[in-house]
């Protein structure tokens, strides 16, 4: 929204204008962090801090992924 902006209607002035906004700070859970940032929070490389160094392993008899050394 910061670069392109969004057309918004101002009911008081009865006109539209281009609103530019950015998210400065938020406190949220991990899935919401993924939604806001566009980063994948699932799978083998789910750690946004360690990224490629994420130590993950898929359990032998299931689809669950566990993370080691965190």
């Amino acid at each position: 929204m910061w670069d392109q902006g969004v057309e918004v209607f101002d009911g008081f002035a009865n006109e539209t204008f281009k609103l530019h906004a950015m998210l400065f700070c938020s406190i949220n859970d991990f899935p919401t962090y993924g939604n806001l940032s566009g980063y994948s929070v699932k799978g083998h490389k789910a750690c946004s801090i360690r990224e490629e160094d994420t130590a993950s392993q898929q359990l032998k008899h299931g689809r669950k992924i566990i993370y080691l050394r965190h």
Side-chain angles (χ1 to χ4, degrees):
M1 287 179 53
W2 184 256
D3 292 333
Q4 298 175 0
V6 177
E7 289 289 324
V8 178
F9 180 74
D10 181 357
F12 185 75
N14 200 25
E15 61 186 16
T16 60
F17 66 96
K18 188 165 278 206
L19 174 71
H20 296 269
M22 71 178 193
L23 181 63
F24 177 70
C25 182
S26 69
I27 299 172
N28 46 42
D29 60 0
F30 204 59
T32 304
Y33 164 72
N35 289 339
L36 290 174
S37 67
Y39 194 86
S40 175
V41 294
K42 299 177 182 174
H44 291 278
K45 306 294 181 198
C47 181
S48 61
I49 297 168
R50 303 280 303 185
E51 292 183 352
E52 294 300 319
D53 295 331
T54 302
S56 61
Q57 182 178 7
Q58 189 164 352
L59 294 179
K60 188 180 278 187
H61 300 291
R63 296 183 307 174
K64 189 170 189 172
I65 297 172
I66 59 172
Y67 304 100
L68 311 165
R69 298 186 320 223
H70 278 80

